[in-house]
Amino acid sequence: MHASTGRADYDQSVNLRTLEPGEPIFVIRGRDAVGAEAVRAWANLAAKAGAPIEAVELALQQADRLEAWPDKKKPDGPDLTEGQRKQLRYEHSRRAWDGRAVVETEAGLIVAQLVRRQFTVELQELVIALIRRLQKANLTPLQVNAAHAVLCDLAHFAGVEFKGFMEAAD
């Protein structure tokens, strides 16, 4: 049974009988400069989650073997088209503004918070402009109801008070 590692170049070489069809896995090789640290982090999380100590110890032993591997290199990415790279960068930037991105330093956390704040400010400005524009539009009652429902959700998410189309947006 073939495994899905998230990288097509690895999927051809991974064939574990214990995996469910389509079950995702993540492969860390000995040459990965951050591999041992990643496995130790997993072992720590597994221990906190109540995993059997035997499983934790086996993971830590594997981390030791990863660390001892002589040839190290920084993690690289799979072969992607420029469009795929742009899409993944965009998806990662979305994680940054909603706090799900990996932030390793206090400075990185501050940057992530600033990005989120800037996004919120821009979204507030966009929602206010949209409300004002729709207030001036000649909408049918059905269009008003649909726009009102969407704008209520969007305004709430952006932290903008939306009273309705008849009142100006604050």
Side-chain angles (χ1 to χ4, degrees), residues 4 7 12 49 52 73 75 80 90 93 97 106 108 120 130 161:
S4 174
R7 286 184 59 164
Q12 297 304 315
K73 68 177 208 168
L80 299 171
Y90 167 75
S93 73
W97 75 259
E106 190 173 335
T120 303
L130 184 58
E161 185 176 348

Side-chain angles (χ1 to χ4, degrees), residues 39-52:
V39 173
R40 285 190 181 98
W42 179 90
N44 184 39
L45 292 169
K48 287 180 182 177

